[in-house]
Amino acid sequence: MKGKKKMVLLNPGPVNTSDRVRNALLRGDMCHREDDFSKIQRNVRDMLTDTFARNDIHTAVIFTGSGTAAMEAAISSSLGEGKTMLVVNNGVYGERISKIASIYGFNKRELVCDWRKPPDMDEVEAALEAHPEVEVVALVHHETSTGLINPVKEIGERCKRYGRIFLVDSISGLGGEEIDLVRDNVDICMGSANKCIQGLPGLSFVIVRREQMERMRNLPVRSMYLNIPNQWENQEKGGTPFTPSIPIFYALEAALEELREEGVNNRIARYKKASSILREGFRRLGLTLLLPEEFLSNTITALHLPDGVSYQDLHDNSKKEGFVIYAGQARLKEDIFRVANMGELAPHELTNFLKSLEKTLGEVGCRP
Ligand SMILES: Cc1ncc(COP(=O)(O)O)c(C=O)c1O
């Protein structure tokens, strides 16, 4: 990057991007009602299904809006009239699903679980058995609030067995964690451009099993902007009902090309390696992790704030050194901080961060 010194973003999105992705923004002015845009939109939608699912089984819809727009679209467009949504909730984003379901006045059941572990599969199964009115089961793949990976495959298998629709928020998972939408019986999956896909913020998407799209087309329309069938029908015809964020499409197209060149498995391996460099360093510095090793994602480490250290001081000192770390959320706000390793990060940037963290911890009064 030319000019200003790079700020190393260790927050879970928006992430550091490549020159290629940022330069894509300069592709020039374009009208969204022209063939040029239709081609880009088609290419991006095809790359999404081809990379994360299968074109003949799933189809993609893109929204100009952040990840929450995709969440709201998926939740509001997927539940049949009078049916119930079961929300598996073990973190901030599980809570958000539940809140959205409430805003739309949906019947819902919540399986509220410990934030530091995956849900108990016996409890999930018991809920499905006891509540035949549950039509949609909603789960967050990677709980960004703690860095915990939820068991998509196991819950997908139960959804299939009990004939329920499986809705997964993989906004911080796709591109960084192992998931197979076909194998895992995922019917509806939300994602966003600016996390492990390494695009820029402003676009999110929903990947939908084609038979579910047909079902959703017969449900009542509950939102003008965030209705999946309306967006999909327009996008299938090469159009878009509203004005999209065209430059962010350019960037997402470049980011998906880059991801496919790197290979999803290689990207996952790169992130895994990056997180192990960081975690080894954290342990050396005497920091303790919120979660046990076996539940950890490849891209976020939540750490207890050492006694007497304020997050604000830690953040401000790290930022002076060129690193942006991230606070805990909700009930964990006072207790933890988070370090993410999504995006275009070189190994030396991670080791430099660890050196800077050691210095910062000393400066804020914590000598490991
Ligand atoms: C799992 C998950 N879901 C949803 C969101 C919401 O995305 P946004 O902040 O882009 O609306 C996030 C953002 O971090 C997330 O990590």
Side-chain angles (χ1 to χ4, degrees):
M1 207 192 312
K2 287 197 196 95
K4 229 171 110 193
K5 184 174 174 277
K6 176 179 177 183
M7 190 58 75
V8 176
L9 299 181
L10 302 172
N11 51 292
V15 300
N16 287 119
T17 51
S18 66
D19 288 342
R20 175 170 164 189
V21 167
R22 283 189 308 278
N23 288 339
L25 290 175
L26 304 174
R27 189 160 158 183
D29 301 331
M30 188 180 281
C31 172
H32 61 296
R33 302 279 175 225
E34 295 297 322
D35 275 357
D36 317 7
F37 178 73
S38 288
K39 279 189 201 137
I40 296 174
Q41 182 171 250
R42 179 85 256 164
N43 191 26
V44 168
R45 292 177 63 221
D46 285 348
M47 281 197 282
L48 286 171
T49 43
D50 197 47
T51 308
F52 299 115
R54 263 187 37 197
N55 275 330
D56 57 333
I57 297 179
H58 290 89
T59 179
V61 187
I62 302 170
F63 288 90
T64 288
S66 77
T68 306
M71 289 176 83
E72 193 163 337
I75 294 161
S76 67
S77 304
S78 61
L79 195 69
E81 269 192 287
K83 301 286 186 180
T84 298
M85 184 169 286
L86 172 69
V87 183
V88 181
N89 171 355
N90 58 351
V92 165
Y93 294 99
E95 257 172 19
R96 189 170 297 182
I97 293 179
S98 185
K99 235 179 247 174
I100 295 170
S102 295
I103 288 169
Y104 282 87
F106 289 161
N107 299 326
K108 89 183 169 194
R109 300 204 71 84
E110 246 183 302
L111 203 62
V112 180
C113 318
D114 189 325
W115 282 23
R116 283 160 305 172
K117 351 185 226 202
D120 181 318
M121 288 313 299
D122 289 341
E123 282 180 27
V124 174
E125 201 153 341
L128 293 176
E129 220 160 75
H131 298 288
E133 72 280 12
V134 166
E135 183 183 41
V136 174
V137 176
L139 176 78
V140 177
H141 175 201
H142 174 205
E143 244 310 338
T144 318
S145 48
T146 54
L148 178 133
I149 291 297
N150 272 318
V152 170
K153 185 163 178 261
E154 288 75 6
I155 296 187
E157 191 270 315
R158 301 311 189 278
C159 286
K160 186 170 185 196
R161 185 152 20 113
Y162 287 87
R164 312 302 162 88
I165 295 159
F166 191 25
L167 182 151
V168 176
D169 170 350
S170 190
I171 284 170
S172 63
L174 288 175
E177 303 292 332
E178 217 268 314
I179 183 169
D180 181 330
L181 302 192
V182 177
R183 179 201 65 196
D184 301 344
N185 302 300
V186 179
D187 294 298
I188 301 163
C189 181
M190 298 86 97
S192 131
N194 59 281
K195 295 190 193 285
C196 304
I197 294 176
Q198 298 187 184
L200 289 164
L203 289 176
S204 56
F205 56 87
V206 187
I207 300 177
V208 183
R209 200 174 277 266
R210 289 180 183 275
E211 70 210 40
Q212 287 305 325
M213 185 64 80
E214 287 313 311
R215 187 187 63 87
M216 289 197 289
R217 292 175 83 184
N218 295 313
L219 297 182
V221 174
R222 297 164 179 133
S223 166
M224 178 76 192
Y225 189 80
L226 297 172
N227 180 257
I228 289 181
N230 181 37
Q231 287 274 357
W232 180 79
E233 283 160 21
N234 277 273
Q235 292 180 16
E236 280 292 280
K237 290 186 211 134
T240 156
F242 314 107
T243 312
S245 182
I246 294 165
I248 307 300
F249 264 91
Y250 301 158
L252 179 56
E253 188 177 45
L256 283 165
E257 282 164 4
E258 226 172 46
L259 171 62
R260 289 158 68 81
E261 285 163 22
E262 181 175 0
V264 174
N265 289 340
N266 292 333
R267 176 151 314 168
I268 290 172
R270 172 162 67 82
Y271 284 164
K272 205 190 262 290
K273 177 88 180 48
S275 66
S276 67
I277 293 172
L278 287 173
R279 287 167 193 165
E280 216 180 284
F282 297 146
R283 292 195 180 97
R284 219 175 37 243
L285 293 175
L287 295 166
T288 53
L289 277 58
L290 176 73
L291 299 179
E293 188 79 39
E294 67 266 32
F295 305 147
L296 289 172
S297 73
N298 297 323
T299 56
I300 294 181
T301 310
L303 298 144
H304 291 286
L305 276 166
D307 282 346
V309 172
S310 87
Y311 170 73
Q312 204 55 50
D313 289 345
L314 202 56
H315 168 272
D316 294 354
N317 278 313
S318 298
K319 192 159 181 202
K320 270 188 231 145
E321 301 271 329
F323 302 97
V324 174
I325 59 168
Y326 219 46
Q329 288 166 290
R331 68 176 78 151
L332 294 171
K333 201 170 172 43
E334 304 299 325
D335 302 327
I336 65 161
F337 67 104
R338 290 174 293 164
V339 179
N341 54 269
M342 299 170 185
E344 180 91 346
L345 295 168
H348 74 269
E349 291 171 321
L350 303 173
T351 46
N352 287 347
F353 167 65
L354 289 168
K355 280 185 215 145
S356 139
L357 184 62
E358 184 167 11
K359 182 166 161 250
T360 299
L361 285 170
E363 282 166 6
V364 298
C366 171
R367 299 232 167 258

